[in-house]
Amino acid sequence: QIHLEESGGGSVQSGGSLKLSCAAQIFSNYCFGWFRQAPGKEREGVASIDSDGSTSYVDSVKGRFTISQDNAKTTLYLQMTSLEPEDTAMYYCAAATPLAFLTLVQSRYNYWGQGTQVTVSS
């Protein structure tokens, strides 16, 4: 069983930054993803990274968010900059394993964290 635990959420003003972390220990054949769900909206994929370090982003966060892992591959990060009120949501870390390609298709992910709240005020 793989346990994922997010941290780093909080409240910031528009234009601010936050860095989310997710403790996760999977060392090969995986795709990690960050997803978010705003009140009254469906959950959407934000960014993903595979075991080769390749990344992908949803258009709305390109150039503002960066997904990464530490060298030991025990922690997943989502650096968020230039935050906007539209980024307000519960953010979830998820893992798809075994998997050997990038995806933001939620049904591919078989492990999920509990979520961390991000609130951006104008």
Side-chain angles (χ1 to χ4, degrees):
Q1 185 69 20
I2 296 170
H3 178 71
L4 304 176
E5 185 169 354
E6 305 94 338
S7 61
S11 297
V12 295
Q13 291 192 328
S14 182
S17 300
L18 280 175
K19 187 172 185 177
L20 306 182
S21 300
C22 175
Q25 295 192 18
I26 308 173
F27 300 105
S28 63
N29 297 325
Y30 62 80
C31 180
F32 280 122
W34 285 100
F35 294 81
R36 66 186 180 186
Q37 187 167 21
K41 295 187 177 181
E42 294 187 354
R43 188 166 58 189
E44 66 168 346
V46 174
S48 62
I49 185 168
D50 67 13
S51 49
D52 291 330
S54 298
T55 59
S56 68
Y57 299 89
V58 69
D59 286 346
S60 60
V61 308
K62 284 180 181 178
R64 300 189 299 122
F65 290 11
T66 302
I67 188 171
S68 63
Q69 284 184 276
D70 65 340
N71 289 337
K73 294 189 176 182
T74 59
T75 306
L76 178 72
Y77 301 103
L78 184 68
Q79 176 69 56
M80 305 184 293
T81 63
S82 301
L83 283 162
E84 305 165 351
E86 292 74 22
D87 296 314
T88 295
M90 185 71 78
Y91 283 72
Y92 299 90
C93 161
T97 185
L99 195 71
F101 55 89
L102 285 169
T103 182
L104 283 175
V105 175
Q106 296 184 46
S107 59
R108 294 279 190 178
Y109 286 79
N110 41 356
Y111 299 97
W112 292 83
Q114 294 298 308
T116 186
Q117 179 67 38
V118 172
T119 303
V120 184
S121 58
S122 57

